[in-house]
Amino acid sequence: VYLSFQALRQISQRTISTASRRQFENRVPEHQKLFQEDNGLPVHLKGGVKDALLYRATMGISVFGTIYAIYYLIISSMPKKP
């Protein structure tokens, strides 16, 4: 059991150490320019079409859920017919 634990620990250390060596391009300044630009759009829509679709889908699900909840509150408040 100790041998397998030692092997697992060695594999996990190797994975972590190799993952940290990968270099990623720093894109923070690009995103800062995009989100700080004064183009009249709210921040949650500045990401483009993808953000607009996610926003509309979220709003649609929220409206549907609210109507669904109100409908079932009304139905459950009515007395059942014998």
Side-chain angles (χ1 to χ4, degrees):
V1 175
Y2 178 73
L3 184 60
S4 64
F5 177 72
Q6 186 72 12
L8 181 63
R9 192 173 119 204
Q10 190 176 23
I11 290 170
S12 67
Q13 284 179 343
R14 189 178 313 141
T15 304
I16 291 170
S17 66
T18 55
S20 64
R21 289 185 196 147
R22 294 185 189 138
Q23 294 295 318
F24 292 105
E25 181 184 347
N26 184 9
R27 295 177 50 199
V28 172
E30 294 174 24
H31 290 286
Q32 285 177 336
K33 285 181 188 175
L34 174 71
F35 287 103
Q36 290 177 356
E37 183 179 326
D38 188 18
N39 56 5
L41 288 174
V43 172
H44 59 275
L45 295 176
K46 285 192 177 186
V49 175
K50 182 176 153 185
D51 281 352
L53 288 174
L54 285 171
Y55 175 74
R56 287 191 179 122
T58 303
M59 286 298 110
I61 291 169
S62 298
V63 168
F64 175 75
T66 302
I67 292 170
Y68 190 73
I70 291 171
Y71 171 76
Y72 270 97
L73 281 171
I74 292 170
I75 294 298
S76 63
S77 68
M78 302 284 180
K80 292 187 177 184
K81 295 176 183 174

